[in-house]
Amino acid sequence: MYKPVFIFLCLLFAIFSQAAPIVQDSVSQKIEKEIHYDTTENLKPPIFSSEIIEKYKSESTFDYTEQIASENWWTQFKSWIWQLWLKFWKWLVGDFEAGGFVSFLVHMLPYLIIFAIVVFVIWLFYKLNPGASFFKSKEKPDVFLSEEEKIIKSKNIKQLIEKALADKNYRLAVRYYYLLILKKLTEAELINYEFDKTNSEYFAEITSEEINFGFKKATLLYDYIWYGNFAVTEENYLKAQKTFVSLENQIPESID
């Protein structure tokens, strides 16, 4: 309990002892100053010949000439901006001391403003530029498949055909059967399936004349039934089915 009080008193005593002036007797502190003279004999001043002086002049080490740097347009522009800045502050706050807080603020504020502008530009570029995602962790992009691609790549098309027939949706059954043909042609490596390809591009890829002819006929039926504005009967479907089955039997399981 007494220890903190004791430490506090010691610190207080030390502070007052440093602050208190030391009074000394001016008589007792009088110091006698002794003057020393150089009594060395035979001293001679150094003699420098003109040759030695010229030699020293030619050395850059002894060249103390102050060279004033010539001002270019950039230094003149900065000086002009700085003078405008100082005039603005003098108009705003009047004369300010060189070492005061206002002076410090006047000298530091331009750098703070430039720093804020740079930070704002970087933030704006990051927000508006699509390439800002470059600074994020790279992840695999989501693959968006069309309905047709999903059916060809991940569905059991045979079951879809059977369900459409059970629902008597013959138009949809034709669509599923055509997608089944595209799937088998792709698996046999006769075509390279892509959603945005045209029929003409598929025709150009199939080298077999027999399969090419059958695929053109199946495509014509599919376009007529799927995109035609009429009701598709069971009879219409059975006619298209014969063409699809015939073509399906021509497509090999795989081509090496």
Side-chain angles (χ1 to χ4, degrees):
M1 177 178 179
Y2 296 102
K3 188 174 182 180
V5 178
F6 176 76
I7 295 174
F8 175 78
L9 291 175
C10 290
L11 291 173
L12 192 63
F13 176 77
I15 292 171
F16 278 102
S17 63
Q18 291 292 331
I22 300 174
V23 181
Q24 295 179 346
D25 188 357
S26 59
V27 178
S28 60
Q29 293 297 323
K30 187 179 293 184
I31 301 174
E32 295 183 1
K33 295 182 179 179
E34 183 177 357
I35 300 175
H36 296 275
Y37 296 94
D38 188 358
T39 57
T40 306
E41 298 180 355
N42 299 324
L43 291 177
K44 295 181 179 180
I47 299 174
F48 294 97
S49 63
S50 58
E51 290 81 4
I52 296 176
I53 294 175
E54 292 298 327
K55 177 184 176 183
Y56 287 147
K57 281 185 177 180
S58 62
E59 294 182 9
S60 59
T61 308
F62 300 99
D63 186 5
Y64 302 107
T65 305
E66 293 184 1
Q67 296 182 353
I68 301 175
S70 59
E71 290 188 354
N72 53 24
W73 68 270
W74 175 243
T75 56
Q76 292 176 356
F77 174 75
K78 289 193 298 181
S79 177
W80 177 69
I81 292 294
W82 181 248
Q83 292 300 324
L84 286 179
W85 177 256
L86 293 179
K87 287 180 180 179
F88 167 75
W89 276 97
K90 286 183 178 179
W91 170 81
L92 186 64
V93 297
D95 293 334
F96 49 87
E97 297 180 0
F101 174 75
V102 176
S103 176
F104 173 78
L105 184 64
V106 169
H107 287 80
M108 289 300 299
L109 197 56
Y111 301 100
L112 296 176
I113 293 174
I114 294 173
F115 177 76
I117 292 174
V118 170
V119 171
F120 175 75
V121 170
I122 293 174
W123 175 83
L124 194 64
F125 178 80
Y126 179 81
K127 283 291 182 182
L128 300 181
N129 185 22
S133 59
F134 173 79
F135 298 100
K136 299 180 181 178
S137 59
K138 294 184 178 179
E139 298 177 355
K140 287 187 175 180
D142 295 333
V143 179
F144 297 97
L145 301 178
S146 66
E147 181 186 0
E148 184 176 295
E149 289 174 303
K150 288 180 181 179
I151 294 172
I152 292 176
K153 295 182 179 181
S154 61
K155 299 292 184 181
N156 188 332
I157 302 180
K158 288 285 188 180
Q159 290 181 358
L160 294 176
I161 295 173
E162 293 174 0
K163 186 177 185 306
L165 291 174
D167 296 337
K168 295 184 179 183
N169 192 342
Y170 301 111
R171 183 168 173 269
L172 185 60
V174 170
R175 171 174 170 76
Y176 287 149
Y177 222 124
Y178 186 74
L179 296 181
L180 178 63
I181 294 298
L182 289 176
K183 182 177 182 179
K184 286 186 173 293
L185 289 172
T186 303
E187 291 175 349
E189 298 181 1
L190 295 177
I191 64 172
N192 182 19
Y193 171 78
E194 292 180 7
F195 171 71
D196 55 350
K197 272 189 176 180
T198 63
N199 294 334
S200 300
E201 289 177 303
Y202 288 133
F203 297 154
E205 291 180 4
I206 300 174
T207 57
S208 172
E209 293 183 4
E210 185 179 8
I211 297 177
N212 200 323
F213 176 78
F215 181 64
K216 287 180 179 179
K217 187 177 179 181
T219 301
L220 182 63
L221 281 171
Y222 167 71
D223 290 342
Y224 177 76
I225 293 173
W226 180 250
Y227 297 107
N229 295 322
F230 58 87
V232 180
T233 63
E234 183 178 2
E235 184 180 358
N236 299 136
Y237 169 77
L238 292 175
K239 290 180 180 179
Q241 185 187 38
K242 290 181 181 179
T243 303
F244 291 145
V245 171
S246 176
L247 177 59
E248 184 181 3
N249 293 332
Q250 294 173 5
I251 301 173
E253 292 297 327
S254 62
I255 295 178
D256 296 331

